[in-house]
PDB file of all heavy atoms in Angstrom:
ATOM      1  N   GLY O   1     129.423 154.106  84.559  1.00  0.00           N
ATOM      2  CA  GLY O   1     128.461 155.213  84.656  1.00  0.00           C
ATOM      3  C   GLY O   1     127.030 154.743  84.546  1.00  0.00           C
ATOM      4  O   GLY O   1     126.163 155.165  85.315  1.00  0.00           O
ATOM      5  N   ARG O   2     126.750 153.836  83.613  1.00  0.00           N
ATOM      6  CA  ARG O   2     125.388 153.306  83.464  1.00  0.00           C
ATOM      7  C   ARG O   2     124.981 152.503  84.692  1.00  0.00           C
ATOM      8  O   ARG O   2     123.856 152.604  85.173  1.00  0.00           O
ATOM      9  CB  ARG O   2     125.294 152.423  82.219  1.00  0.00           C
ATOM     10  CG  ARG O   2     125.244 153.199  80.930  1.00  0.00           C
ATOM     11  CD  ARG O   2     124.931 152.280  79.742  1.00  0.00           C
ATOM     12  NE  ARG O   2     125.486 152.867  78.548  1.00  0.00           N
ATOM     13  CZ  ARG O   2     126.414 152.335  77.774  1.00  0.00           C
ATOM     14  NH1 ARG O   2     126.892 151.131  78.046  1.00  0.00           N
ATOM     15  NH2 ARG O   2     126.859 152.964  76.720  1.00  0.00           N
ATOM     16  N   ALA O   3     125.900 151.687  85.184  1.00  0.00           N
ATOM     17  CA  ALA O   3     125.605 150.888  86.373  1.00  0.00           C
ATOM     18  C   ALA O   3     125.325 151.783  87.572  1.00  0.00           C
ATOM     19  O   ALA O   3     124.391 151.523  88.353  1.00  0.00           O
ATOM     20  CB  ALA O   3     126.763 149.939  86.683  1.00  0.00           C
ATOM     21  N   PHE O   4     126.105 152.830  87.718  1.00  0.00           N
ATOM     22  CA  PHE O   4     125.898 153.776  88.818  1.00  0.00           C
ATOM     23  C   PHE O   4     124.537 154.462  88.682  1.00  0.00           C
ATOM     24  O   PHE O   4     123.817 154.606  89.671  1.00  0.00           O
ATOM     25  CB  PHE O   4     127.013 154.814  88.848  1.00  0.00           C
ATOM     26  CG  PHE O   4     126.882 155.818  89.941  1.00  0.00           C
ATOM     27  CD1 PHE O   4     127.161 155.479  91.252  1.00  0.00           C
ATOM     28  CD2 PHE O   4     126.445 157.110  89.666  1.00  0.00           C
ATOM     29  CE1 PHE O   4     127.012 156.405  92.274  1.00  0.00           C
ATOM     30  CE2 PHE O   4     126.290 158.032  90.671  1.00  0.00           C
ATOM     31  CZ  PHE O   4     126.588 157.682  91.979  1.00  0.00           C
ATOM     32  N   ALA O   5     124.182 154.875  87.467  1.00  0.00           N
ATOM     33  CA  ALA O   5     122.897 155.539  87.239  1.00  0.00           C
ATOM     34  C   ALA O   5     121.741 154.598  87.574  1.00  0.00           C
ATOM     35  O   ALA O   5     120.750 155.007  88.205  1.00  0.00           O
ATOM     36  CB  ALA O   5     122.803 156.023  85.801  1.00  0.00           C
ATOM     37  N   ARG O   6     121.835 153.319  87.168  1.00  0.00           N
ATOM     38  CA  ARG O   6     120.783 152.360  87.478  1.00  0.00           C
ATOM     39  C   ARG O   6     120.669 152.135  88.989  1.00  0.00           C
ATOM     40  O   ARG O   6     119.565 152.073  89.534  1.00  0.00           O
ATOM     41  CB  ARG O   6     121.060 151.013  86.785  1.00  0.00           C
ATOM     42  CG  ARG O   6     120.362 150.926  85.435  1.00  0.00           C
ATOM     43  CD  ARG O   6     120.417 149.503  84.888  1.00  0.00           C
ATOM     44  NE  ARG O   6     121.048 149.598  83.583  1.00  0.00           N
ATOM     45  CZ  ARG O   6     122.219 149.105  83.247  1.00  0.00           C
ATOM     46  NH1 ARG O   6     122.907 148.400  84.096  1.00  0.00           N
ATOM     47  NH2 ARG O   6     122.704 149.274  82.046  1.00  0.00           N
ATOM     48  N   ALA O   7     121.804 152.013  89.652  1.00  0.00           N
ATOM     49  CA  ALA O   7     121.788 151.803  91.103  1.00  0.00           C
ATOM     50  C   ALA O   7     121.165 153.011  91.805  1.00  0.00           C
ATOM     51  O   ALA O   7     120.391 152.857  92.758  1.00  0.00           O
ATOM     52  CB  ALA O   7     123.197 151.560  91.612  1.00  0.00           C
ATOM     53  N   LEU O   8     121.469 154.190  91.328  1.00  0.00           N
ATOM     54  CA  LEU O   8     120.897 155.400  91.900  1.00  0.00           C
ATOM     55  C   LEU O   8     119.390 155.445  91.712  1.00  0.00           C
ATOM     56  O   LEU O   8     118.648 155.783  92.631  1.00  0.00           O
ATOM     57  CB  LEU O   8     121.559 156.620  91.262  1.00  0.00           C
ATOM     58  CG  LEU O   8     121.396 157.959  91.947  1.00  0.00           C
ATOM     59  CD1 LEU O   8     121.933 157.903  93.371  1.00  0.00           C
ATOM     60  CD2 LEU O   8     122.132 159.042  91.166  1.00  0.00           C
ATOM     61  N   GLN O   9     118.910 155.065  90.532  1.00  0.00           N
ATOM     62  CA  GLN O   9     117.467 155.035  90.264  1.00  0.00           C
ATOM     63  C   GLN O   9     116.770 154.020  91.160  1.00  0.00           C
ATOM     64  O   GLN O   9     115.696 154.294  91.688  1.00  0.00           O
ATOM     65  CB  GLN O   9     117.213 154.698  88.802  1.00  0.00           C
ATOM     66  CG  GLN O   9     117.540 155.801  87.836  1.00  0.00           C
ATOM     67  CD  GLN O   9     117.416 155.368  86.374  1.00  0.00           C
ATOM     68  OE1 GLN O   9     117.437 154.180  86.075  1.00  0.00           O
ATOM     69  NE2 GLN O   9     117.308 156.344  85.481  1.00  0.00           N
ATOM     70  N   GLN O  10     117.388 152.843  91.320  1.00  0.00           N
ATOM     71  CA  GLN O  10     116.794 151.810  92.170  1.00  0.00           C
ATOM     72  C   GLN O  10     116.736 152.272  93.613  1.00  0.00           C
ATOM     73  O   GLN O  10     115.737 152.058  94.320  1.00  0.00           O
ATOM     74  CB  GLN O  10     117.565 150.507  92.065  1.00  0.00           C
ATOM     75  CG  GLN O  10     117.407 149.811  90.720  1.00  0.00           C
ATOM     76  CD  GLN O  10     118.335 148.620  90.582  1.00  0.00           C
ATOM     77  OE1 GLN O  10     119.231 148.414  91.385  1.00  0.00           O
ATOM     78  NE2 GLN O  10     118.101 147.823  89.531  1.00  0.00           N
ATOM     79  N   GLU O  11     117.792 152.897  94.091  1.00  0.00           N
ATOM     80  CA  GLU O  11     117.824 153.390  95.464  1.00  0.00           C
ATOM     81  C   GLU O  11     116.767 154.475  95.661  1.00  0.00           C
ATOM     82  O   GLU O  11     116.089 154.495  96.688  1.00  0.00           O
ATOM     83  CB  GLU O  11     119.213 153.943  95.806  1.00  0.00           C
ATOM     84  CG  GLU O  11     119.351 154.409  97.223  1.00  0.00           C
ATOM     85  CD  GLU O  11     119.108 153.330  98.249  1.00  0.00           C
ATOM     86  OE1 GLU O  11     119.414 152.153  97.966  1.00  0.00           O
ATOM     87  OE2 GLU O  11     118.608 153.656  99.335  1.00  0.00           O
ATOM     88  N   PHE O  12     116.607 155.359  94.706  1.00  0.00           N
ATOM     89  CA  PHE O  12     115.596 156.396  94.786  1.00  0.00           C
ATOM     90  C   PHE O  12     114.204 155.780  94.837  1.00  0.00           C
ATOM     91  O   PHE O  12     113.367 156.176  95.643  1.00  0.00           O
ATOM     92  CB  PHE O  12     115.731 157.365  93.608  1.00  0.00           C
ATOM     93  CG  PHE O  12     114.732 158.495  93.652  1.00  0.00           C
ATOM     94  CD1 PHE O  12     114.867 159.520  94.566  1.00  0.00           C
ATOM     95  CD2 PHE O  12     113.648 158.506  92.790  1.00  0.00           C
ATOM     96  CE1 PHE O  12     113.949 160.543  94.620  1.00  0.00           C
ATOM     97  CE2 PHE O  12     112.723 159.534  92.837  1.00  0.00           C
ATOM     98  CZ  PHE O  12     112.874 160.557  93.754  1.00  0.00           C
ATOM     99  N   ALA O  13     113.942 154.788  93.978  1.00  0.00           N
ATOM    100  CA  ALA O  13     112.644 154.118  93.960  1.00  0.00           C
ATOM    101  C   ALA O  13     112.385 153.410  95.288  1.00  0.00           C
ATOM    102  O   ALA O  13     111.273 153.463  95.824  1.00  0.00           O
ATOM    103  CB  ALA O  13     112.568 153.136  92.796  1.00  0.00           C
ATOM    104  N   ALA O  14     113.387 152.737  95.837  1.00  0.00           N
ATOM    105  CA  ALA O  14     113.224 152.050  97.122  1.00  0.00           C
ATOM    106  C   ALA O  14     112.976 153.047  98.235  1.00  0.00           C
ATOM    107  O   ALA O  14     112.159 152.813  99.124  1.00  0.00           O
ATOM    108  CB  ALA O  14     114.465 151.218  97.418  1.00  0.00           C
ATOM    109  N   SER O  15     113.652 154.187  98.177  1.00  0.00           N
ATOM    110  CA  SER O  15     113.456 155.229  99.181  1.00  0.00           C
ATOM    111  C   SER O  15     112.033 155.772  99.114  1.00  0.00           C
ATOM    112  O   SER O  15     111.395 155.990 100.158  1.00  0.00           O
ATOM    113  CB  SER O  15     114.463 156.343  98.957  1.00  0.00           C
ATOM    114  OG  SER O  15     114.212 157.424  99.801  1.00  0.00           O
ATOM    115  N   GLN O  16     111.538 155.990  97.921  1.00  0.00           N
ATOM    116  CA  GLN O  16     110.172 156.473  97.762  1.00  0.00           C
ATOM    117  C   GLN O  16     109.157 155.463  98.281  1.00  0.00           C
ATOM    118  O   GLN O  16     108.189 155.829  98.939  1.00  0.00           O
ATOM    119  CB  GLN O  16     109.894 156.805  96.280  1.00  0.00           C
ATOM    120  CG  GLN O  16     110.684 157.973  95.742  1.00  0.00           C
ATOM    121  CD  GLN O  16     110.307 159.266  96.440  1.00  0.00           C
ATOM    122  OE1 GLN O  16     109.153 159.528  96.704  1.00  0.00           O
ATOM    123  NE2 GLN O  16     111.302 160.080  96.749  1.00  0.00           N
ATOM    124  N   ALA O  17     109.381 154.194  97.987  1.00  0.00           N
ATOM    125  CA  ALA O  17     108.479 153.133  98.446  1.00  0.00           C
ATOM    126  C   ALA O  17     108.490 153.055  99.968  1.00  0.00           C
ATOM    127  O   ALA O  17     107.434 152.895 100.606  1.00  0.00           O
ATOM    128  CB  ALA O  17     108.870 151.792  97.823  1.00  0.00           C
ATOM    129  N   ALA O  18     109.660 153.169 100.567  1.00  0.00           N
ATOM    130  CA  ALA O  18     109.769 153.127 102.025  1.00  0.00           C
ATOM    131  C   ALA O  18     109.069 154.322 102.644  1.00  0.00           C
ATOM    132  O   ALA O  18     108.411 154.218 103.677  1.00  0.00           O
ATOM    133  CB  ALA O  18     111.230 153.073 102.451  1.00  0.00           C
ATOM    134  N   ALA O  19     109.183 155.479 102.010  1.00  0.00           N
ATOM    135  CA  ALA O  19     108.521 156.683 102.527  1.00  0.00           C
ATOM    136  C   ALA O  19     107.008 156.529 102.474  1.00  0.00           C
ATOM    137  O   ALA O  19     106.311 156.927 103.406  1.00  0.00           O
ATOM    138  CB  ALA O  19     108.962 157.917 101.731  1.00  0.00           C
ATOM    139  N   ARG O  20     106.504 155.931 101.398  1.00  0.00           N
ATOM    140  CA  ARG O  20     105.070 155.694 101.307  1.00  0.00           C
ATOM    141  C   ARG O  20     104.608 154.686 102.358  1.00  0.00           C
ATOM    142  O   ARG O  20     103.539 154.835 102.933  1.00  0.00           O
ATOM    143  CB  ARG O  20     104.694 155.218  99.911  1.00  0.00           C
ATOM    144  CG  ARG O  20     104.664 156.314  98.866  1.00  0.00           C
ATOM    145  CD  ARG O  20     104.044 155.838  97.557  1.00  0.00           C
ATOM    146  NE  ARG O  20     104.804 154.763  96.949  1.00  0.00           N
ATOM    147  CZ  ARG O  20     105.855 154.923  96.150  1.00  0.00           C
ATOM    148  NH1 ARG O  20     106.289 156.147  95.886  1.00  0.00           N
ATOM    149  NH2 ARG O  20     106.485 153.902  95.630  1.00  0.00           N
ATOM    150  N   ALA O  21     105.421 153.678 102.603  1.00  0.00           N
ATOM    151  CA  ALA O  21     105.069 152.655 103.585  1.00  0.00           C
ATOM    152  C   ALA O  21     105.074 153.212 104.998  1.00  0.00           C
ATOM    153  O   ALA O  21     104.331 152.730 105.866  1.00  0.00           O
ATOM    154  CB  ALA O  21     106.030 151.474 103.483  1.00  0.00           C
ATOM    155  N   ARG O  22     105.875 154.234 105.249  1.00  0.00           N
ATOM    156  CA  ARG O  22     105.954 154.844 106.567  1.00  0.00           C
ATOM    157  C   ARG O  22     104.963 155.988 106.711  1.00  0.00           C
ATOM    158  O   ARG O  22     105.155 156.884 107.518  1.00  0.00           O
ATOM    159  CB  ARG O  22     107.363 155.415 106.818  1.00  0.00           C
ATOM    160  CG  ARG O  22     108.401 154.399 107.080  1.00  0.00           C
ATOM    161  CD  ARG O  22     109.662 155.085 107.562  1.00  0.00           C
ATOM    162  NE  ARG O  22     110.069 156.194 106.733  1.00  0.00           N
ATOM    163  CZ  ARG O  22     111.050 156.176 105.852  1.00  0.00           C
ATOM    164  NH1 ARG O  22     111.734 155.096 105.654  1.00  0.00           N
ATOM    165  NH2 ARG O  22     111.357 157.255 105.163  1.00  0.00           N
ATOM    166  N   GLY O  23     103.910 155.965 105.971  1.00  0.00           N
ATOM    167  CA  GLY O  23     102.961 157.070 105.949  1.00  0.00           C
ATOM    168  C   GLY O  23     102.261 157.336 107.255  1.00  0.00           C
ATOM    169  O   GLY O  23     101.699 158.391 107.443  1.00  0.00           O
ATOM    170  N   THR O  24     102.318 156.430 108.218  1.00  0.00           N
ATOM    171  CA  THR O  24     101.624 156.639 109.483  1.00  0.00           C
ATOM    172  C   THR O  24     102.429 157.547 110.387  1.00  0.00           C
ATOM    173  O   THR O  24     103.617 157.715 110.225  1.00  0.00           O
ATOM    174  CB  THR O  24     101.396 155.287 110.210  1.00  0.00           C
ATOM    175  OG1 THR O  24     102.679 154.762 110.553  1.00  0.00           O
ATOM    176  CG2 THR O  24     100.638 154.318 109.329  1.00  0.00           C
ATOM    177  N   SER O  25     101.760 158.083 111.377  1.00  0.00           N
ATOM    178  CA  SER O  25     102.417 158.975 112.344  1.00  0.00           C
ATOM    179  C   SER O  25     103.501 158.250 113.105  1.00  0.00           C
ATOM    180  O   SER O  25     104.572 158.768 113.331  1.00  0.00           O
ATOM    181  CB  SER O  25     101.379 159.556 113.302  1.00  0.00           C
ATOM    182  OG  SER O  25     102.010 160.292 114.301  1.00  0.00           O
ATOM    183  N   ALA O  26     103.225 157.021 113.525  1.00  0.00           N
ATOM    184  CA  ALA O  26     104.221 156.247 114.283  1.00  0.00           C
ATOM    185  C   ALA O  26     105.460 156.032 113.435  1.00  0.00           C
ATOM    186  O   ALA O  26     106.583 156.129 113.918  1.00  0.00           O
ATOM    187  CB  ALA O  26     103.637 154.914 114.709  1.00  0.00           C
ATOM    188  N   GLY O  27     105.263 155.725 112.188  1.00  0.00           N
ATOM    189  CA  GLY O  27     106.404 155.508 111.295  1.00  0.00           C
ATOM    190  C   GLY O  27     107.220 156.758 111.102  1.00  0.00           C
ATOM    191  O   GLY O  27     108.442 156.688 111.010  1.00  0.00           O
ATOM    192  N   GLN O  28     106.566 157.908 111.099  1.00  0.00           N
ATOM    193  CA  GLN O  28     107.294 159.154 110.924  1.00  0.00           C
ATOM    194  C   GLN O  28     108.173 159.450 112.133  1.00  0.00           C
ATOM    195  O   GLN O  28     109.308 159.883 112.001  1.00  0.00           O
ATOM    196  CB  GLN O  28     106.317 160.294 110.653  1.00  0.00           C
ATOM    197  CG  GLN O  28     105.658 160.195 109.307  1.00  0.00           C
ATOM    198  CD  GLN O  28     104.556 161.225 109.129  1.00  0.00           C
ATOM    199  OE1 GLN O  28     104.129 161.862 110.063  1.00  0.00           O
ATOM    200  NE2 GLN O  28     104.089 161.361 107.904  1.00  0.00           N
ATOM    201  N   HIS O  29     107.652 159.219 113.329  1.00  0.00           N
ATOM    202  CA  HIS O  29     108.451 159.451 114.536  1.00  0.00           C
ATOM    203  C   HIS O  29     109.640 158.501 114.585  1.00  0.00           C
ATOM    204  O   HIS O  29     110.743 158.897 114.907  1.00  0.00           O
ATOM    205  CB  HIS O  29     107.592 159.285 115.795  1.00  0.00           C
ATOM    206  CG  HIS O  29     106.604 160.373 115.996  1.00  0.00           C
ATOM    207  ND1 HIS O  29     106.967 161.677 116.198  1.00  0.00           N
ATOM    208  CD2 HIS O  29     105.249 160.347 116.010  1.00  0.00           C
ATOM    209  CE1 HIS O  29     105.882 162.413 116.360  1.00  0.00           C
ATOM    210  NE2 HIS O  29     104.827 161.633 116.245  1.00  0.00           N
ATOM    211  N   SER O  30     109.390 157.241 114.269  1.00  0.00           N
ATOM    212  CA  SER O  30     110.459 156.245 114.297  1.00  0.00           C
ATOM    213  C   SER O  30     111.509 156.550 113.226  1.00  0.00           C
ATOM    214  O   SER O  30     112.708 156.418 113.473  1.00  0.00           O
ATOM    215  CB  SER O  30     109.884 154.851 114.082  1.00  0.00           C
ATOM    216  OG  SER O  30     110.879 153.872 114.236  1.00  0.00           O
ATOM    217  N   ALA O  31     111.056 156.978 112.069  1.00  0.00           N
ATOM    218  CA  ALA O  31     111.995 157.323 110.995  1.00  0.00           C
ATOM    219  C   ALA O  31     112.833 158.534 111.398  1.00  0.00           C
ATOM    220  O   ALA O  31     114.031 158.596 111.105  1.00  0.00           O
ATOM    221  CB  ALA O  31     111.235 157.611 109.700  1.00  0.00           C
ATOM    222  N   ALA O  32     112.214 159.474 112.091  1.00  0.00           N
ATOM    223  CA  ALA O  32     112.967 160.636 112.552  1.00  0.00           C
ATOM    224  C   ALA O  32     114.013 160.214 113.576  1.00  0.00           C
ATOM    225  O   ALA O  32     115.144 160.693 113.543  1.00  0.00           O
ATOM    226  CB  ALA O  32     112.021 161.671 113.167  1.00  0.00           C
ATOM    227  N   ALA O  33     113.663 159.303 114.468  1.00  0.00           N
ATOM    228  CA  ALA O  33     114.617 158.829 115.464  1.00  0.00           C
ATOM    229  C   ALA O  33     115.770 158.089 114.782  1.00  0.00           C
ATOM    230  O   ALA O  33     116.922 158.216 115.182  1.00  0.00           O
ATOM    231  CB  ALA O  33     113.933 157.912 116.475  1.00  0.00           C
ATOM    232  N   THR O  34     115.454 157.312 113.759  1.00  0.00           N
ATOM    233  CA  THR O  34     116.494 156.610 113.006  1.00  0.00           C
ATOM    234  C   THR O  34     117.414 157.614 112.343  1.00  0.00           C
ATOM    235  O   THR O  34     118.638 157.465 112.364  1.00  0.00           O
ATOM    236  CB  THR O  34     115.859 155.687 111.936  1.00  0.00           C
ATOM    237  OG1 THR O  34     115.091 154.699 112.618  1.00  0.00           O
ATOM    238  CG2 THR O  34     116.917 155.019 111.086  1.00  0.00           C
ATOM    239  N   SER O  35     116.841 158.651 111.771  1.00  0.00           N
ATOM    240  CA  SER O  35     117.633 159.658 111.091  1.00  0.00           C
ATOM    241  C   SER O  35     118.554 160.394 112.074  1.00  0.00           C
ATOM    242  O   SER O  35     119.720 160.631 111.772  1.00  0.00           O
ATOM    243  CB  SER O  35     116.708 160.660 110.396  1.00  0.00           C
ATOM    244  OG  SER O  35     117.443 161.689 109.807  1.00  0.00           O
ATOM    245  N   ILE O  36     118.031 160.713 113.245  1.00  0.00           N
ATOM    246  CA  ILE O  36     118.835 161.452 114.232  1.00  0.00           C
ATOM    247  C   ILE O  36     119.935 160.571 114.809  1.00  0.00           C
ATOM    248  O   ILE O  36     121.073 160.994 114.927  1.00  0.00           O
ATOM    249  CB  ILE O  36     117.914 161.978 115.355  1.00  0.00           C
ATOM    250  CG1 ILE O  36     117.018 163.083 114.790  1.00  0.00           C
ATOM    251  CG2 ILE O  36     118.713 162.512 116.524  1.00  0.00           C
ATOM    252  CD1 ILE O  36     115.881 163.487 115.700  1.00  0.00           C
ATOM    253  N   SER O  37     119.588 159.351 115.169  1.00  0.00           N
ATOM    254  CA  SER O  37     120.575 158.478 115.820  1.00  0.00           C
ATOM    255  C   SER O  37     121.522 157.807 114.833  1.00  0.00           C
ATOM    256  O   SER O  37     122.602 157.372 115.220  1.00  0.00           O
ATOM    257  CB  SER O  37     119.870 157.418 116.645  1.00  0.00           C
ATOM    258  OG  SER O  37     119.229 156.479 115.802  1.00  0.00           O
ATOM    259  N   GLY O  38     121.104 157.707 113.588  1.00  0.00           N
ATOM    260  CA  GLY O  38     121.936 157.052 112.592  1.00  0.00           C
ATOM    261  C   GLY O  38     121.877 155.533 112.707  1.00  0.00           C
ATOM    262  O   GLY O  38     122.682 154.824 112.115  1.00  0.00           O
ATOM    263  N   MET O  39     120.927 155.030 113.467  1.00  0.00           N
ATOM    264  CA  MET O  39     120.796 153.592 113.669  1.00  0.00           C
ATOM    265  C   MET O  39     119.321 153.210 113.608  1.00  0.00           C
ATOM    266  O   MET O  39     118.486 153.854 114.223  1.00  0.00           O
ATOM    267  CB  MET O  39     121.375 153.210 115.037  1.00  0.00           C
ATOM    268  CG  MET O  39     121.335 151.745 115.358  1.00  0.00           C
ATOM    269  SD  MET O  39     122.024 151.356 116.976  1.00  0.00           S
ATOM    270  CE  MET O  39     123.755 151.706 116.697  1.00  0.00           C
ATOM    271  N   SER O  40     119.026 152.173 112.857  1.00  0.00           N
ATOM    272  CA  SER O  40     117.637 151.740 112.752  1.00  0.00           C
ATOM    273  C   SER O  40     117.248 150.960 113.997  1.00  0.00           C
ATOM    274  O   SER O  40     118.094 150.487 114.762  1.00  0.00           O
ATOM    275  CB  SER O  40     117.452 150.854 111.519  1.00  0.00           C
ATOM    276  OG  SER O  40     118.090 149.611 111.714  1.00  0.00           O
ATOM    277  N   LEU O  41     115.951 150.844 114.186  1.00  0.00           N
ATOM    278  CA  LEU O  41     115.438 150.087 115.331  1.00  0.00           C
ATOM    279  C   LEU O  41     115.898 148.628 115.260  1.00  0.00           C
ATOM    280  O   LEU O  41     116.344 148.066 116.255  1.00  0.00           O
ATOM    281  CB  LEU O  41     113.911 150.167 115.358  1.00  0.00           C
ATOM    282  CG  LEU O  41     113.209 149.357 116.421  1.00  0.00           C
ATOM    283  CD1 LEU O  41     113.636 149.785 117.812  1.00  0.00           C
ATOM    284  CD2 LEU O  41     111.705 149.467 116.254  1.00  0.00           C
ATOM    285  N   THR O  42     115.846 148.055 114.090  1.00  0.00           N
ATOM    286  CA  THR O  42     116.265 146.660 113.906  1.00  0.00           C
ATOM    287  C   THR O  42     117.733 146.485 114.257  1.00  0.00           C
ATOM    288  O   THR O  42     118.109 145.523 114.935  1.00  0.00           O
ATOM    289  CB  THR O  42     115.998 146.217 112.447  1.00  0.00           C
ATOM    290  OG1 THR O  42     114.621 146.418 112.158  1.00  0.00           O
ATOM    291  CG2 THR O  42     116.356 144.762 112.260  1.00  0.00           C
ATOM    292  N   GLU O  43     118.581 147.398 113.788  1.00  0.00           N
ATOM    293  CA  GLU O  43     120.008 147.304 114.078  1.00  0.00           C
ATOM    294  C   GLU O  43     120.258 147.411 115.589  1.00  0.00           C
ATOM    295  O   GLU O  43     121.053 146.648 116.154  1.00  0.00           O
ATOM    296  CB  GLU O  43     120.775 148.406 113.351  1.00  0.00           C
ATOM    297  CG  GLU O  43     122.270 148.363 113.572  1.00  0.00           C
ATOM    298  CD  GLU O  43     123.012 149.507 112.882  1.00  0.00           C
ATOM    299  OE1 GLU O  43     122.356 150.393 112.285  1.00  0.00           O
ATOM    300  OE2 GLU O  43     124.247 149.499 112.949  1.00  0.00           O
ATOM    301  N   ALA O  44     119.556 148.318 116.250  1.00  0.00           N
ATOM    302  CA  ALA O  44     119.719 148.477 117.695  1.00  0.00           C
ATOM    303  C   ALA O  44     119.284 147.202 118.428  1.00  0.00           C
ATOM    304  O   ALA O  44     119.948 146.764 119.366  1.00  0.00           O
ATOM    305  CB  ALA O  44     118.919 149.671 118.191  1.00  0.00           C
ATOM    306  N   GLN O  45     118.192 146.621 117.973  1.00  0.00           N
ATOM    307  CA  GLN O  45     117.728 145.374 118.599  1.00  0.00           C
ATOM    308  C   GLN O  45     118.718 144.236 118.383  1.00  0.00           C
ATOM    309  O   GLN O  45     118.956 143.440 119.283  1.00  0.00           O
ATOM    310  CB  GLN O  45     116.356 144.986 118.054  1.00  0.00           C
ATOM    311  CG  GLN O  45     115.248 145.881 118.553  1.00  0.00           C
ATOM    312  CD  GLN O  45     113.918 145.560 117.927  1.00  0.00           C
ATOM    313  OE1 GLN O  45     113.826 145.287 116.733  1.00  0.00           O
ATOM    314  NE2 GLN O  45     112.858 145.604 118.716  1.00  0.00           N
ATOM    315  N   GLN O  46     119.313 144.171 117.212  1.00  0.00           N
ATOM    316  CA  GLN O  46     120.297 143.133 116.944  1.00  0.00           C
ATOM    317  C   GLN O  46     121.547 143.322 117.813  1.00  0.00           C
ATOM    318  O   GLN O  46     122.081 142.358 118.345  1.00  0.00           O
ATOM    319  CB  GLN O  46     120.685 143.139 115.463  1.00  0.00           C
ATOM    320  CG  GLN O  46     119.592 142.606 114.575  1.00  0.00           C
ATOM    321  CD  GLN O  46     119.915 142.764 113.095  1.00  0.00           C
ATOM    322  OE1 GLN O  46     120.819 143.508 112.727  1.00  0.00           O
ATOM    323  NE2 GLN O  46     119.161 142.088 112.267  1.00  0.00           N
ATOM    324  N   ILE O  47     121.989 144.547 117.963  1.00  0.00           N
ATOM    325  CA  ILE O  47     123.182 144.811 118.763  1.00  0.00           C
ATOM    326  C   ILE O  47     122.963 144.396 120.220  1.00  0.00           C
ATOM    327  O   ILE O  47     123.820 143.764 120.828  1.00  0.00           O
ATOM    328  CB  ILE O  47     123.592 146.299 118.680  1.00  0.00           C
ATOM    329  CG1 ILE O  47     124.146 146.589 117.275  1.00  0.00           C
ATOM    330  CG2 ILE O  47     124.624 146.661 119.734  1.00  0.00           C
ATOM    331  CD1 ILE O  47     124.357 148.063 116.990  1.00  0.00           C
ATOM    332  N   LEU O  48     121.795 144.740 120.766  1.00  0.00           N
ATOM    333  CA  LEU O  48     121.520 144.401 122.163  1.00  0.00           C
ATOM    334  C   LEU O  48     120.852 143.034 122.318  1.00  0.00           C
ATOM    335  O   LEU O  48     120.484 142.652 123.433  1.00  0.00           O
ATOM    336  CB  LEU O  48     120.649 145.485 122.803  1.00  0.00           C
ATOM    337  CG  LEU O  48     121.361 146.803 123.052  1.00  0.00           C
ATOM    338  CD1 LEU O  48     120.419 147.808 123.709  1.00  0.00           C
ATOM    339  CD2 LEU O  48     122.589 146.620 123.898  1.00  0.00           C
TER     340      LEU O  48
END
């Protein structure tokens, strides 16, 4: 339970940091596309 709680806190902190880093308009559009497609730009580039 403690390990799960710590992992959850770390994931939340990383998510917040990523959201702040994507503060630009371009980042918001790309993040929306990632959310819709379920695949990140990097993953798509690696696959192809």
